[in-house]
Amino acid sequence: QVQLVESGGGLVQAGGSLRLSCAASGRTFSIYAMGWFRQTPGKEREFVAAISGSGVRTYYSDSVKGRFTISRDSAKNTVYLQMNNLKFEDTAVYYCAARLGIASTSARDFGSWGQGTQVTVSS
């Protein structure tokens, strides 16, 4: 496993932007595929975006494609989620996740999780 610490959540008006950060521990960050998921009370954890260990391949849910961008910085052992044109429906706790192997859109494939960071979008 790898330890993950998320930051960057907050309150923003609809149409605004936020950038979430997920800092990973260890010296083997590049071998982990990374993902972002979100969850609201009473709902299943939802896939948002994922990125391969190399950073070459990225994946997005239909609901965020074109608005969100996932990226990673190997020098900082950090993965980012740039969220633009935020909508009220984006309000959720956002979780960073890591897995050994290829990127996945399924939460059950990820073995390491951050603590979550709250994103609240006001309408």
Side-chain angles (χ1 to χ4, degrees), residues 48-104:
V48 177
I51 188 168
S52 63
S54 67
V56 172
R57 304 188 70 179
T58 58
Y59 309 87
Y60 299 94
S61 68
D62 290 340
S63 62
V64 308
K65 190 173 184 178
R67 299 188 297 120
F68 292 8
T69 303
I70 188 171
S71 62
R72 63 194 298 159
D73 185 337
S74 60
K76 295 183 178 294
N77 278 16
T78 300
V79 63
Y80 302 96
L81 185 67
Q82 178 66 47
M83 304 184 294
N84 297 327
N85 191 25
L86 282 161
K87 305 177 183 296
F88 178 76
E89 303 85 70
D90 296 319
T91 296
V93 177
Y94 283 71
Y95 296 91
C96 177
R99 75 180 300 248
L100 291 170
I102 62 173
S104 173

Side-chain angles (χ1 to χ4, degrees), residues 2-123:
V2 59
Q3 286 70 52
L4 306 172
V5 180
E6 297 142 324
S7 62
L11 175 64
V12 64
Q13 291 185 333
S17 299
L18 284 174
R19 189 182 73 165
L20 306 183
S21 298
C22 175
S25 66
R27 301 165 59 191
T28 57
F29 176 64
S30 63
I31 70 174
Y32 289 92
M34 305 293 293
W36 286 98
F37 296 79
R38 65 188 183 187
Q39 188 169 25
T40 56
K43 299 186 67 176
E44 296 289 330
R45 191 163 296 186
E46 176 189 17
F47 167 74
V48 177
I51 188 168
S52 63
S54 67
V56 172
R57 304 188 70 179
T58 58
Y59 309 87
Y60 299 94
S61 68
D62 290 340
S63 62
V64 308
K65 190 173 184 178
R67 299 188 297 120
F68 292 8
T69 303
I70 188 171
S71 62
R72 63 194 298 159
D73 185 337
S74 60
K76 295 183 178 294
N77 278 16
T78 300
V79 63
Y80 302 96
L81 185 67
Q82 178 66 47
M83 304 184 294
N84 297 327
N85 191 25
L86 282 161
K87 305 177 183 296
F88 178 76
E89 303 85 70
D90 296 319
T91 296
V93 177
Y94 283 71
Y95 296 91
C96 177
R99 75 180 300 248
L100 291 170
I102 62 173
S104 173
T105 61
S106 178
R108 68 183 64 188
D109 288 337
F110 289 81
S112 299
W113 292 86
Q115 79 285 356
T117 184
Q118 177 71 49
V119 172
T120 302
V121 183
S122 61
S123 60

